[in-house]
Amino acid sequence: MGKKLTVYERIETLLDKGSFTEVDKYVKHRCTDFGMENKRVAGDGVVCGYGKIDGRTVYVYAFDFSVLGGSLSAANSRKIAKMQDMALKCGAPIIGLNDSGGARIQEGVESLTGFAEIFRRNVMSSGVIPQISAIMGPCAGGSCYSPALTDFILMVEGESQMFITGPNVIRQTTNEECDKETLGGAKVHAMTSGVCSLVCRDDEECLMTIRELLGFIPSNNMEDAPVHPATDDVDRVCHELDNVVPANPNIPYNIKDIIEPICDQQYFFEIQPDFAKNIVVGFGRMAGRSVGFVANQPNYLAGAIDIDASDKAARFIQFCDSFNIPIVAIEDVPGFLPGIQQEHAGIIRHGAKIVYAFAEATVPKITLITRKAYGGAYIVMNSKQIGADINLAYPSAEIAVMGAKGAVSILYRKEEPENIPARIKEYEDKFANPYFAAELGYIDDIIQPADTRRAIIRALDCCRNKSVSNPPKKHGNMPM
C-alpha cells in the first residue's frame, strides 16, 4: 500500500504540473455553537479550484479530513457548488476527491441543506459534463450520495469506505456486528454492491487512473472524445481470434480475448471489472477514437444476463450515449439467467433497462455476434430492430429463440426418443448459424474472426456522421 497523500498532494498529483488555481481559499465557517467560533480555519476543510489534465480544463474539489474530519459545512458546500456551477457553465469535467465524515453536526440543518445544493447540481450536470468521484477515505451519510450521482466512482483499497449508516448505528438498531471495511470497503462496493467503478492500490494510482479515464471521454456532451494518433494499423488482421471461440458451443471462453486484440495497441480500459462479471463494459480506442464496449462474458454464468449485469450495462450505455461515444456490443448470450430468486428480485424490470438504454441511444451502434444469440437476450443486446446500425456475425453464430435441444423438447415433445437426434440436427442446420438471419437482413455481414478489427472500424467510420433525434419529450421513464 502506497503513501496516503495530503489534500494538496492529491491535487498536484491529479493535475498537470503547476496548473492548479485555488478558489475561495480564505473562506471560513460562521458557526458559533459548541465552541466552533474557536475552530475557524481558512478554506474550512475543502480545497476548490481549477487546473488542467493533459491540457484540458477540469474543476476540482477536495475534502481535507485533517480539518474537522472533512465535514461538510454551509460555507464549504457553497465553495463546492460554485465549482459545480463553473464547470457546467464552461463545459468542463468536475472531479471530487472525497474524504469526509459527512454533514457537520454542529451546524444542524444548515449543513444538510449544503448537501442538497450539491446533489441538485449533480443531477443538473448529469449527461452534460463528466463527473468523477474518488473516495480517498471514510465517507459517511450524505458524503456518499453525491458520488453515487456521478458517472464514475474510484476507491482506494484499505483506505476508503462508503456507508450511509456506520457500524455503531447498525449495531444499535439491528444488532448486526461489522466494521467499516466489511460494511463499506472498496472490495465490498466493487464486487457486491456495484457502487464502485474501479479499485486502486493507493492514492497515487487512483489519481493517475482518473487522468487515464478522462482521456477516453469528452469534456462535455457537445464535444467528441479526444482523438489519439492512429499508430495501430486500421487494417490489422487479428489471426489470434481464429481460435478464440470453441467449436463446442458448451465450452466457455474469455470475451476479453476478442475485445483486447481489436483495440488500438490491444489496450482495453475495463469499468467495474469485479461486479456482474457475466457482462464486460469499458473503453478502448479504434483508429484513435474512443469506443465503448458492452460484451457478454461466456466465462461467467455462461454469459447469461442477470439483474446486476442489466444494471451495469444499462448505465454504461447511457453514459456513452450522453457523451457521444460509439458503442460496440459483442454478443454471446444464451438468455437471461433463470431462477426463482432472479424473477422475484425483478429480472423483468432490470432486464428492461438494457432494452431501454440501447433503444434510446443515438450514437453509432455496432453489434458483433460471436456465438449464441438466443431469445429475448438476442433482442436486448443491440439487435437490428432495437436500433443497431451495423450487425456483424461470425460463421459460428447461432441466432434462434433457444438452443436446439430446448427447442426440440418443445416442438417434438411427443416424438419417439430415437428420432430426437435427427430433429436436433434439423433444427441446428436451420438456426445454429447466422445465414438465416442474414437472408432476412438482420445481419449485415458474416465475417471471419481475423477480420474483426477491420470490419468494426469500417462500420464505425461509415456511421461517424450519424444524426438521429428521438421524439421531443421532457425525459423518458426508464424502468428502475
Side-chain angles (χ1 to χ4, degrees):
M1 188 179 295
K3 175 187 174 186
K4 189 174 174 71
L5 304 177
T6 67
V7 66
Y8 283 104
E9 287 173 337
R10 288 169 177 172
I11 292 171
E12 289 167 7
T13 302
L14 174 68
L15 301 178
D16 295 349
K17 187 174 181 180
S19 70
F20 180 60
T21 298
E22 188 171 355
V23 174
D24 284 340
K25 61 183 173 183
Y26 300 110
V27 166
K28 298 180 181 179
H29 71 77
R30 300 175 185 175
C31 179
T32 57
D33 295 319
F34 306 104
M36 288 297 289
E37 66 273 14
N38 301 316
K39 299 177 182 178
R40 300 178 75 230
V41 179
D44 201 32
V46 174
V47 178
C48 295
Y50 51 90
K52 305 275 187 180
I53 290 181
D54 291 330
R56 299 160 64 200
T57 297
V58 299
Y59 289 81
V60 180
Y61 61 90
F63 287 87
D64 185 352
F65 198 82
S66 68
V67 178
L68 297 169
S71 56
L72 189 90
S73 67
N76 61 34
S77 70
R78 284 192 290 270
K79 291 174 58 173
I80 295 171
K82 183 187 287 188
M83 290 299 95
Q84 291 177 295
D85 290 340
M86 285 293 293
L88 191 59
K89 285 191 292 187
C90 300
I94 186 160
I95 301 163
L97 307 182
N98 297 273
D99 194 348
S100 169
R104 190 168 293 172
I105 298 171
Q106 295 92 331
E107 293 192 12
V109 70
E110 206 171 1
S111 62
L112 294 178
T113 58
F115 269 128
E117 293 286 353
I118 294 168
F119 299 166
R120 181 167 58 87
R121 286 168 171 82
N122 287 137
V123 174
M124 292 302 104
S125 298
S126 182
V128 183
I129 56 172
Q131 301 179 85
I132 298 174
S133 299
I135 311 300
M136 310 194 78
C139 290
S143 296
C144 298
Y145 277 124
S146 177
L149 291 166
T150 61
D151 298 305
F152 300 100
I153 296 176
L154 291 83
M155 297 183 73
V156 178
E157 189 174 348
E159 292 289 347
S160 55
Q161 299 96 33
M162 297 176 73
F163 38 76
I164 302 304
T165 53
N168 290 338
V169 176
I170 289 175
R171 190 177 302 112
Q172 292 169 13
T173 55
T174 70
N175 294 320
E176 293 175 289
E177 290 290 338
C178 60
D179 58 27
K180 289 181 179 180
E181 195 64 26
T182 56
L183 178 62
K187 287 186 177 180
V188 170
H189 288 307
M191 301 173 68
T192 307
S193 74
V195 169
C196 175
S197 306
L198 293 162
V199 175
C200 304
R201 290 189 298 269
D202 53 33
D203 282 11
E204 184 175 5
E205 183 182 84
C206 178
L207 299 164
M208 298 308 291
T209 302
I210 292 173
R211 290 179 60 93
E212 184 178 6
L213 172 58
L214 276 173
F216 287 99
I217 58 183
S219 293
N220 57 67
N221 65 342
M222 301 302 290
E223 297 181 9
D224 291 328
V227 178
H228 286 233
T231 56
D232 195 345
D233 184 5
V234 296
D235 291 320
R236 174 165 54 81
V237 178
C238 305
H239 289 296
E240 61 268 42
L241 298 188
D242 287 332
N243 300 311
V244 172
V245 181
N248 184 336
N250 296 318
I251 294 178
Y253 64 95
N254 190 343
I255 201 68
K256 286 185 275 190
D257 290 339
I258 290 177
I259 298 173
E260 289 171 358
I262 66 176
C263 292
D264 291 356
Q265 280 71 51
Q266 304 190 41
Y267 182 67
F268 174 56
F269 186 87
E270 189 173 359
I271 302 294
Q272 290 187 293
D274 300 315
F275 178 69
K277 293 182 180 181
N278 40 329
I279 205 152
V280 173
V281 303
F283 299 106
R285 292 188 183 92
M286 302 192 78
R289 296 178 181 273
S290 288
V291 174
F293 287 92
V294 179
N296 308 112
Q297 176 57 287
N299 249 358
Y300 193 86
L301 297 177
I305 300 171
D306 65 355
I307 287 170
D308 287 342
S310 301
D311 292 351
K312 174 180 171 179
R315 188 138 202 271
F316 183 76
I317 294 163
Q318 283 209 310
F319 177 84
C320 290
D321 187 51
S322 295
F323 292 101
N324 312 312
I325 299 172
I327 299 167
V328 173
I330 301 181
E331 181 175 355
D332 186 348
V333 59
F336 285 89
L337 186 68
I340 294 172
Q341 189 275 333
Q342 286 286 304
E343 295 290 353
H344 287 188
I347 184 60
I348 297 170
R349 173 167 49 88
H350 289 269
K353 296 180 186 181
I354 304 185
V355 186
Y356 193 105
F358 267 130
E360 185 182 47
T362 59
V363 293
K365 295 180 288 188
I366 313 300
T367 297
L368 169 67
I369 301 173
T370 62
R371 190 167 61 177
K372 298 173 184 176
Y374 291 165
Y378 155 69
I379 298 170
V380 307
M381 281 298 295
N382 202 33
S383 61
K384 180 68 75 174
Q385 289 68 33
I386 285 294
D389 298 297
I390 301 292
N391 292 64
L392 307 170
Y394 286 170
S396 55
E398 306 172 22
I399 304 166
V401 176
M402 62 179 66
K405 288 184 179 179
V408 167
S409 70
I410 295 171
L411 294 171
Y412 302 101
R413 62 173 63 91
K414 296 181 180 179
E415 187 73 72
E416 295 297 327
E418 61 269 20
N419 296 333
I420 294 299
R423 295 298 190 186
I424 290 174
K425 186 178 186 310
E426 177 187 355
Y427 191 90
E428 288 176 341
D429 290 343
K430 187 170 182 62
F431 293 117
N433 63 72
Y435 297 100
F436 181 67
E439 285 178 20
L440 298 171
Y442 303 157
I443 298 296
D444 297 300
D445 197 9
I446 299 167
I447 64 170
Q448 294 300 316
D451 296 326
T452 303
R453 174 175 162 83
R454 176 170 55 194
I456 292 179
I457 287 175
R458 289 183 177 183
L460 289 167
D461 189 56
C462 86
C463 299
R464 185 174 299 162
N465 295 324
K466 175 184 176 182
S467 180
V468 175
S469 295
N470 290 331
K473 53 187 169 181
K474 187 175 181 180
H475 54 72
N477 186 20
M478 174 185 270
M480 293 295 181

